[in-house]
Amino acid sequence: MRGMARIFVTRELPGPALTKLKETHETVVWPGELPPSYAELCAQAAQSDALLTLLTDRVDAELIAASPKLRVIANYAVGYDNIDVDAASAAGIPVGNTPDALTEATADLTFALLMAAARRIPEAASFARNGQWQTWEPAAFLGADVYGATIGIIGLGRIGQAVARRAAGFGMEVLTTETRDQHNLEHLLRRSDFVSIHLPLTDGTRGLIDADALALMKPTAILINTARGPIVDREALAQALHTGQIAGAALDVTSPEPLPPGDPLWQAPNLLVVPHIGSATWSARERMTEIAVENVLAGLEGRSLPCQVPQQLFD
Ligand code: DGY
């Protein structure tokens, strides 16, 4: 232990674990309902030994270069595309994330979106609530079968595998692929009734689901994205929904977030959007706080982080 450090936490977090930081270090928690601006984040980082950031905080090379005291960055997410990990590594700063804690919660949400879109649940619920429900109707709200359908899982990491386990319980045929295998990806897109994305956002996955990819999908297929918005080309998706190229899309993530009120994607039919709630269960979010806190403490104490992002190499 090197004495009291200054830690900047960019939002109050669920669960009791932040207390552990507050008791031992000068812990400044951003009080706003919205994230600190980039300028505010830079100003805070410049005086801090540790940052506990959210996926909405951009931690780039410029910020890192202007933060000479910084010894650890703990991201409150499994994804870390908001952080320039190469710049942090070059500066000798370990970056932590929160894997495992949210795997099952995100896989559950993936299935919730899949089923909601397949069975038109949001639409049917509004219909019932709005007093339009007059009788049992043989042809109302007909949707797609889930049981026995084919699901294509793009990205077979922790969350992709957890989705595959759920799909097995629904008697689904499961097709999987990693992005690099173009032939396999095309086969998956052509064959699947549901296509679900479980990739990190990288230069290689940005825009992966573009007009060409959507054109390969069945007109009855539904796209589910609980990974990162920019993996899907949103203009191409809007077009594919308008023209009936695909039957629907259910998105937990968009590009940008939030999707602005006037964005053309909002006009697309058969679109379900929820506000990035994949990991939003009490236990997942509390566990994420615990892991992020442990990452901060380990970084401050010069220990290796319990959950350090994979591609960081130090001499
Ligand atoms: C993550 O962890 O990357 C999710 O997007 C938010 O929990």
Side-chain angles (χ1 to χ4, degrees):
M1 188 77 154
R2 297 196 216 170
M4 189 178 265
R6 185 183 197 276
I7 304 164
F8 182 57
V9 182
T10 65
R11 201 77 52 84
E12 197 56 67
L13 300 175
L18 266 192
T19 318
K20 210 166 163 183
L21 292 186
K22 292 176 182 165
E23 280 169 359
T24 45
H25 293 287
E26 182 194 348
T27 303
V28 179
V29 180
W30 179 251
E33 277 177 26
L34 293 177
S37 66
Y38 177 70
E40 186 62 45
L41 181 62
C42 288
Q44 292 287 347
Q47 318 162 51
S48 299
D49 302 279
L51 286 182
L52 200 169
T53 50
L54 308 192
L55 53 88
T56 40
D57 302 312
R58 176 160 56 94
V59 180
D60 59 11
E62 204 181 321
L63 180 149
I64 290 168
S67 307
K69 291 172 66 187
L70 210 52
R71 283 185 273 150
V72 56
I73 302 165
N75 211 35
Y76 186 73
V78 65
Y80 44 87
D81 45 279
N82 57 309
I83 297 177
D84 188 332
V85 175
D86 289 342
S89 305
I93 302 170
V95 177
N97 66 343
T98 62
D100 300 324
L102 50 87
T103 301
E104 303 300 343
T106 306
D108 283 349
L109 197 267
T110 302
F111 247 81
L113 288 177
L114 183 157
M115 297 187 77
R119 300 301 303 271
R120 304 171 61 184
I121 289 174
E123 206 182 329
S126 313
F127 180 88
R129 179 174 286 273
N130 295 341
Q132 292 163 282
W133 182 12
Q134 291 185 325
T135 183
W136 187 82
E137 177 55 59
F141 296 109
L142 304 186
D145 285 320
V146 174
Y147 192 86
T150 298
I151 184 170
I153 299 178
I154 305 180
L156 204 57
R158 284 174 291 259
I159 298 171
Q161 289 177 41
V163 170
R165 288 195 295 275
R166 283 154 180 75
F170 279 85
M172 297 175 102
E173 183 181 352
V174 179
L175 304 178
T176 63
T177 187
E178 296 296 339
T179 42
R180 278 175 288 280
D181 190 338
Q182 188 61 25
H183 176 74
N184 216 13
L185 176 61
E186 288 183 12
H187 173 76
L188 177 153
L189 292 168
R190 284 184 211 282
R191 290 264 336 270
S192 299
D193 300 306
F194 300 94
V195 171
S196 192
I197 304 170
H198 301 287
L199 296 166
L201 176 63
T202 64
D203 289 345
T205 64
R206 189 179 296 275
L208 180 77
I209 304 302
D210 58 7
D212 291 344
L214 291 161
L216 294 175
M217 289 173 64
K218 295 182 183 181
T220 49
I222 291 173
L223 178 72
I224 301 112
N225 189 6
T226 54
R228 283 293 182 266
I231 296 172
V232 177
D233 176 332
R234 81 181 196 284
E235 282 172 25
L237 176 61
Q239 180 77 3
L241 289 168
H242 276 298
T243 59
Q245 179 94 60
I246 65 169
L251 310 177
D252 183 39
V253 289
T254 58
S255 175
E257 287 181 12
L259 197 59
D263 193 281
L265 190 52
W266 286 121
Q267 305 307 320
N270 305 317
L271 173 74
L272 169 59
V273 180
V274 294
H276 204 147
I277 57 169
S279 62
T281 69
W282 287 104
S283 72
R285 290 281 168 89
E286 292 189 7
R287 181 74 191 122
M288 288 164 68
T289 309
E290 285 167 16
I291 297 172
V293 163
E294 291 310 320
N295 280 338
V296 167
L297 292 173
L300 290 175
E301 290 164 19
R303 294 182 279 115
S304 45
L305 310 194
C307 297
Q308 185 162 321
V309 304
Q311 74 264 47
Q312 277 199 297
L313 296 173
F314 295 108
D315 296 331

